[in-house]
Amino acid sequence: MHQPALTHLAAADPEVARLAEAEAQRQFEKIRLIASENYVSTAVLEATGTVFTNKYSEGYAGKRYYEGQQVVDQLERLAIERAKTLFGAEHANVQPYSGSPANLAVYLAFMNPGDTVLSMDLPMGGHLTHGSPVSATGKWFRPTHYGVRQETGRVDMNDVREIALRERPRLIIAGGTAIPRTIDFAAFAEIAKETGAILLADMAHIAGLVAGGAHPTPVGHADVISTTTHKTLRGPRGAMLLSTEEHAKAIDKAVFPGLQGGPHNHTTAGIAVALAEAAKPSFRDYAAAIVANAQALAAALLERGFDLVSGGTDNHLLLIDLTNKGITGKVAAKALDAAGIELNFNTVPFDTRRPFDPSGLRLGAAAITTRGLRTEHMPALAGWIERAVLAAGRGPLDDADVAKELDAVAGEVRDLLDAFPMPGFSR
Ligand SMILES: *Cc1c(COP(=O)(O)O)cnc(C)c1O
């Protein structure tokens, strides 16, 4: 059963209630390895379902365009204070609707159309909003990119410096969606300083690790930091921008009125709760456990002959290059989903295949760590991943023998997960 209980929803709209119950059940039964996902606490779920959703609050606390902000002003100030304290930042804006609009606000704050941005290339592990040609950021600005070295699978900061000196970007972005290694924010800051660029650290994926002390912080190095709140940080879907005092005004103006209307106050409530959870000592243990799980899973996969980009991980995320297994990322991802293991196909650096059917798989350990799985469970998980990949190599997924093997794995996955409670669900 969904938690909190959906009593009113079930009475008013059984169809939607049934779908929410089905999704809760699905999340309970699957090993969820999508690197950008997590399970939020029941407290966060309750906070995001509050009457704050009824309120319009264009502007900022103390300077709103509608009346009736006595309570919302307190809520937003609370979320801001918690964000500043947790990350040690001088300024926080908790209004961006999600990570993509948060990044667009940074462009709006510092760039004019046609200005140059330097960021990680999408197929190398960057994000759409880092100047991809299909994104507004790639259409309206001039993107230039760094990547990883083919031999190491890692960013070489000398390469970044060389490109920055050549291209003279107005904005440099550090961060991405598929980076299994520690990001050297200090080195990025040095390059930004040398070339007169603004440095944006996009820590969407690793914010929870930063909060829990398991990844070096960009605070003190980057001019602006963008983050989603729903990945390793384990809050509701949303985003925040952190900055130095110097850039506070430009950031706030870019978010509102530059890009958005009224903030999603119910999300702000959920963010405030998640930030308080992330400030607890137990969250440091959580962040360390995520990295330990990812590294244990990496070791177990390497033992089974899987090829990992950069040879392993420093954080929550792994990238498998399936080329040596003779199977594509898309086929493997579909087989794994049928086997109760949910992840996404992903390009690997220097991929020779197309983005919609690339050579790789991306895995993250944040959600399984929330669920309570620990390093001792990782060898079994690697074994299930291998069985599903091998089964998919034997024939189409609807082939009776292949389907039987995937079903068998899904059953074993369900048996293990049965012992691990899921926030948001109870039996
Ligand atoms: C997830 C992500 C985003 C975008 O977040 P959305 O909430 O999906 O818009 C931006 N940058 C990075 C690095 C991300 O991983």
Side-chain angles (χ1 to χ4, degrees):
M1 288 255 303
H2 193 283
Q3 288 296 317
L6 305 176
T7 327
H8 298 88
L9 184 61
D13 193 334
E15 214 175 346
V16 172
R18 185 181 57 74
L19 292 175
E21 293 293 355
E23 176 62 10
Q25 183 75 34
R26 192 194 67 79
Q27 291 185 14
F28 181 71
E29 289 178 354
K30 280 224 170 130
I31 290 188
R32 299 176 56 234
L33 295 177
I34 293 180
S36 48
E37 293 184 352
N38 212 326
Y39 297 93
V40 299
S41 69
T42 314
V44 168
L45 283 177
E46 280 185 354
T48 56
T50 52
V51 292
F52 283 118
T53 199
N54 296 339
K55 188 70 198 121
Y56 242 108
S57 319
E58 286 183 341
Y60 291 99
K63 259 183 19 197
R64 306 277 191 189
Y65 289 80
Y66 300 133
E67 300 313 316
Q69 312 293 346
Q70 294 82 357
V71 185
V72 163
D73 276 5
Q74 295 179 59
L75 174 72
E76 191 171 321
R77 284 196 175 111
L78 182 65
I80 288 169
E81 280 315 308
R82 287 180 178 178
K84 285 163 64 175
T85 307
L86 180 64
F87 290 104
E90 291 175 10
H91 178 70
N93 185 311
V94 297
Q95 292 193 4
Y97 298 143
S98 214
S100 301
N103 281 348
L104 197 54
V106 177
Y107 286 85
L108 185 61
F110 299 109
M111 308 263 279
N112 287 310
D115 280 358
T116 301
V117 54
L118 172 60
S119 62
M120 195 161 196
D121 208 1
L122 184 63
M124 293 280 183
H127 188 260
L128 285 164
T129 57
H130 297 181
S132 155
V134 297
S135 153
T137 58
K139 293 181 196 288
W140 296 342
F141 305 98
R142 180 181 162 264
T144 58
H145 295 298
Y146 57 87
V148 296
R149 282 277 174 102
Q150 191 151 19
E151 321 83 72
T152 60
R154 296 171 189 242
V155 175
D156 183 321
M157 294 310 296
N158 293 316
D159 297 345
V160 178
R161 179 170 177 268
E162 206 171 283
I163 302 169
L165 286 168
R166 188 177 71 227
E167 303 289 350
R168 291 284 160 181
R170 170 84 181 121
L171 179 73
I172 298 177
I173 306 178
T177 62
I179 304 174
R181 294 297 179 178
T182 301
I183 300 168
D184 190 346
F185 293 119
F188 271 103
E190 245 176 65
I191 294 166
K193 199 165 171 201
E194 185 182 355
T195 57
I198 295 280
L199 177 61
L200 163 63
D202 182 347
M203 64 169 184
H205 260 267
I206 54 171
L209 303 183
V210 170
H215 188 290
T217 181
V219 175
H221 300 299
D223 299 288
V224 190
I225 297 160
S226 71
T227 182
T228 54
T229 46
H230 48 269
K231 299 180 184 175
T232 52
L233 191 55
R234 215 165 65 180
R237 307 196 77 80
M240 305 191 294
L241 287 167
L242 310 175
S243 76
T244 54
E245 198 51 55
E246 183 190 353
H247 301 301
K249 246 202 171 123
I251 289 296
D252 283 354
K253 268 178 60 183
V255 174
F256 176 87
L259 210 56
Q260 299 189 170
H264 293 180
N265 298 314
H266 56 300
T267 301
T268 306
I271 290 173
V273 174
L275 290 169
E277 290 176 358
K280 287 185 185 156
S282 58
F283 200 87
R284 294 187 80 80
D285 302 336
Y286 170 61
I290 292 175
V291 176
N293 277 343
Q295 291 180 337
L297 182 58
L301 287 167
L302 287 170
E303 236 172 67
R304 290 170 186 277
F306 283 95
D307 182 10
L308 300 183
V309 172
S310 84
T313 181
D314 300 325
N315 54 32
H316 65 300
L317 184 150
L318 312 176
L319 263 185
I320 301 178
D321 184 342
L322 287 169
T323 308
N324 70 346
K325 298 281 181 190
I327 188 172
T328 72
K330 196 172 182 176
V331 172
K334 295 243 174 290
L336 283 156
D337 195 44
I341 298 167
E342 184 186 0
L343 42 63
N344 65 282
F345 58 82
N346 213 95
T347 54
V348 294
F350 307 97
D351 210 321
T352 51
R353 303 185 53 85
R354 290 163 305 120
F356 199 61
D357 189 10
S359 304
L361 294 173
R362 189 185 67 158
L363 300 71
I368 54 171
T369 307
T370 300
R371 194 70 188 269
L373 299 193
R374 289 298 175 259
T375 53
E376 64 262 31
H377 304 111
M378 296 305 116
L381 176 50
W384 288 325
I385 291 171
E386 183 182 43
R387 275 172 62 192
V389 166
L390 288 177
R394 287 200 292 270
L397 301 191
D398 55 4
D399 171 272
D401 283 344
V402 175
K404 196 170 154 220
E405 172 72 345
L406 298 178
D407 257 1
V409 174
E412 290 176 37
V413 164
R414 270 198 306 276
D415 286 348
L416 173 78
L417 289 179
D418 211 47
F420 294 90
M422 166 187 149
F425 182 84
S426 81
R427 270 173 303 176

